[in-house]
Amino acid sequence: MDLLIKNGTIVTASETYQANVAVSGGKIAAIGTNFEEHDFHDIVDARGKFVLPGAIDGHTHLALPFGGTISSDDYYAGTRSAACGGTTTVFDFVQQDPGERMLDAVKRRDALAAPDAAVDYSFHIGVGDVSTDELLDSMEEAVEYGIPSFKVYMVYDFGVDDGSFYKVLQKAKKIGALVGVHAENKDVNDLLVKQYLAEGKVSAWWHYMSKNELVEGEADVRAINLAKMAEAPLYIVHLADKMGMEAVTEARKQGYPIFAETCPQYLHFTNEVYKRDRGRNFVCSPPMKNQESQDAIWHGIANGNITTIATDHCPFKQAEKDWGITKKDGTSGDFTTIPNGCAGVENMYPYVLAQAGAGRITFNKAVQLCAANPAKLFGLSHRKGSVRVGLDADLVLYDPQKEFTITNEAMHGDTDHTIWEGVKLKGYPIATYSRGRLVFKDGEFLGRRGAGELIKCKKLSFHGPEL
């Protein structure tokens, strides 16, 4: 046997109990109390610590191009940062180019990820072109390859119209796939942007105003209605608004397979951040919303209508964020020129677990949202998401008493700031294992570039709101 983690308290989505975990060949080989210690190469005493499954971040954008720049975390920096926050699997997005088959898009992106990823990873495919039957049918090739999740954008120049969205939903239902959606009303967003710029309103606050609660909420409702029409499951990514939360709750009450993800930034910050001196650092899409929406999202977590928490990790350096004030060519910028995205992959699990420690949710709920549910939703529960014999030994040792203040200096990505600067947490990961390999301990990254593997996911089938 390779590793014995003894005397810890195992926490899964449904159970909390004391036991030892034996690891062999990168897998959890046994869980129990009676092991002969001389059988193990390495023994770790986890007394007073929690033994958790590694988190699964179902929403990252690594090495993402934006205008004339690219997000500051590539596949190595992003997965290194993930490991140091207890996340052992990330799902990144690959955007399909015009005329490109879906599987070709995956292989093109995997050529970038494979040499660099320090923990395991998989992909969602951003649908960009289903203008022909051949391109639409190529979704099935990707599913058979092990990539059964797709995403459509209702915004941006590469977004799809409602007819294409509906076609993708219909196809996904037939082939065992899940469609995620970035829901914002593009036409209203574009109109508001033009109005605000014409009025000289250029600060980060107007980014929020052009993508306000109703701009997002209307699109959430429309997306759910399209999924109902297609009789297909739907996954709403980065849900941040009250109207959308209410629509998700009602659809699930009616028995529809509608699932929603939210992000830590929406649980901790409100739109007030856009009034700060460096409000541009918080520019992301969708933006943080008002307190009423934040309260609604927390209520959705409590009643089970938020299925997962992910990060939308997509950091840019401060100089790049400053494009909202001055463009690279020296001309004046505005809120539309600020690169969209914030760091979060290292903060997700610690933040959510700290909320459990504070009594806002249970530790079991934290594990459910950050590990078990993403594994079930994306088709990798045969390998990830729990502390169970036969699964990958993706394990996190968590000290519920450790005091930690988030600073960019203590983070492990490649960006030069964090929106989480100064946030205090009680409880923090002290060690992370990826398939039994120690990749993080006591603040230090110990993993290896390229050690991560592309995880092939299973076909998906949802007949109701339960996973």
Side-chain angles (χ1 to χ4, degrees):
M1 293 281 191
D2 299 324
L3 170 68
L4 177 67
I5 299 175
K6 67 178 186 177
N7 299 325
T9 299
I10 295 173
V11 182
T12 70
S14 58
E15 297 178 291
T16 302
Y17 61 98
Q18 285 195 312
N20 303 332
V21 180
V23 174
S24 181
K27 300 286 186 181
I28 299 172
I31 298 173
T33 55
N34 296 316
F35 294 107
E36 295 292 337
E37 294 191 8
H38 60 75
D39 291 335
F40 294 88
H41 180 266
D42 191 18
I43 298 173
V44 174
D45 192 339
R47 190 181 306 275
K49 310 301 187 294
F50 294 160
V51 182
L52 312 171
I56 299 167
D57 190 342
H59 191 151
T60 70
H61 296 280
L62 304 177
L64 177 75
F66 184 97
T69 187
I70 191 167
S71 59
S72 56
D73 278 359
D74 60 14
Y75 281 97
Y76 179 50
T79 54
R80 181 181 69 223
S81 188
C84 297
T87 290
T88 52
T89 307
V90 301
F91 277 78
D92 201 53
F93 285 89
V94 51
Q95 185 63 30
Q96 175 205 18
D97 288 336
E100 186 178 32
R101 300 181 70 85
M102 304 290 182
L103 184 54
D104 290 341
V106 170
K107 291 182 176 180
R108 167 174 55 81
R109 195 67 176 171
D110 190 37
L112 291 177
D116 281 351
V119 298
D120 292 346
Y121 63 96
S122 193
F123 296 107
H124 308 300
I125 302 171
V127 176
D129 186 1
V130 288
S131 58
T132 67
D133 289 343
E134 180 183 2
L135 291 173
L136 182 66
D137 290 343
S138 75
M139 289 174 62
E140 190 164 7
E141 289 179 319
V143 172
E144 295 296 333
Y145 186 74
I147 309 296
S149 47
F150 300 82
K151 180 183 178 182
V152 299
Y153 294 81
M154 299 172 78
V155 289
Y156 309 130
D157 292 340
F158 54 84
V160 300
D161 58 29
D162 286 356
S164 296
F165 185 1
Y166 184 71
K167 283 198 303 184
V168 171
L169 286 165
Q170 286 182 310
K171 187 69 175 178
K173 181 187 177 183
K174 292 179 181 177
I175 63 177
L178 176 66
V179 178
V181 60
H182 178 140
E184 291 181 294
N185 187 308
K186 181 182 185 300
D187 292 338
V188 174
N189 177 217
D190 289 348
L191 180 63
L192 289 175
V193 167
K194 290 180 181 178
Q195 289 178 352
Y196 293 145
L197 293 181
E199 294 167 0
K201 297 172 178 176
V202 298
S203 73
W205 174 258
W206 300 102
H207 168 76
Y208 153 69
M209 287 294 291
S210 69
K211 294 173 171 286
N212 62 55
E213 286 79 2
L214 299 181
V215 171
E216 182 180 347
E218 183 281 329
D220 291 325
V221 172
R222 181 157 39 99
I224 290 170
N225 286 335
L226 287 168
K228 288 180 178 180
M229 291 165 60
E231 299 181 342
L234 179 70
Y235 179 63
I236 299 178
V237 305
H238 48 44
L239 183 68
D241 68 288
K242 180 182 178 182
M243 181 190 292
M245 187 71 258
E246 290 175 342
V248 168
T249 300
E250 181 60 27
R252 289 172 60 82
K253 182 180 178 180
Q254 295 168 0
Y256 288 97
I258 304 297
F259 308 100
E261 158 198 296
T262 196
C263 306
Q265 58 265 33
Y266 305 129
L267 298 173
H268 190 75
F269 302 104
T270 69
N271 56 358
E272 291 297 311
V273 297
Y274 297 111
K275 296 178 180 178
R276 297 185 185 182
D277 288 342
R278 290 202 62 87
R280 55 192 176 276
N281 286 353
F282 293 84
V283 166
C284 58
S285 293
M288 291 66 156
K289 301 298 197 299
N290 59 25
Q291 187 64 57
E292 187 178 28
S293 285
Q294 186 181 93
D295 292 344
I297 297 297
W298 271 111
H299 186 62
I301 286 174
N303 62 29
N305 289 311
I306 290 290
T307 304
T308 68
I309 293 178
T311 65
D312 197 7
H313 179 84
C314 187
F316 293 87
K317 293 188 176 181
Q318 291 202 66
E320 295 160 341
K321 286 287 190 177
D322 286 345
W323 289 3
I325 303 302
T326 304
K327 293 182 184 179
K328 290 178 74 174
D329 62 5
T331 60
S332 296
D334 54 64
F335 65 87
T336 68
T337 63
I338 304 170
N340 280 213
C342 306
V345 72
E346 191 166 346
N347 311 115
M348 176 184 71
Y349 216 16
Y351 176 79
V352 177
L353 290 165
Q355 303 313 298
R360 195 159 196 175
I361 58 175
T362 66
F363 281 103
N364 305 103
K365 172 66 92 170
V367 170
Q368 181 187 57
L369 290 165
C370 296
N373 280 358
K376 294 175 183 177
L377 194 68
F378 302 135
L380 67 161
S381 58
H382 61 295
R383 291 193 57 178
K384 311 283 186 181
S386 189
V387 181
R388 191 172 75 242
V389 173
L391 297 190
D392 289 350
D394 289 2
L395 302 168
V396 175
L397 302 190
Y398 180 81
D399 183 349
Q401 300 304 317
K402 182 178 176 65
E403 303 279 352
F404 189 87
T405 300
I406 301 174
T407 64
N408 190 67
E409 184 179 2
M411 297 295 98
H412 296 82
D414 278 353
T415 194
D416 58 359
H417 72 284
T418 174
I419 62 172
W420 296 93
E421 188 77 30
V423 173
K424 298 181 184 298
L425 305 176
K426 184 176 181 180
Y428 208 77
I430 59 170
T432 304
Y433 295 85
S434 173
R435 283 182 280 113
R437 293 173 291 106
L438 184 63
V439 293
F440 167 77
K441 184 179 179 182
D442 297 334
E444 183 180 0
F445 175 69
L446 301 173
R448 179 173 57 82
R449 183 193 294 263
E453 294 181 359
L454 172 63
I455 302 299
K456 302 292 185 70
C457 302
K458 293 189 174 182
K459 289 185 179 181
L460 305 171
S461 179
F462 306 104
H463 302 287
E466 302 304 319
L467 292 176

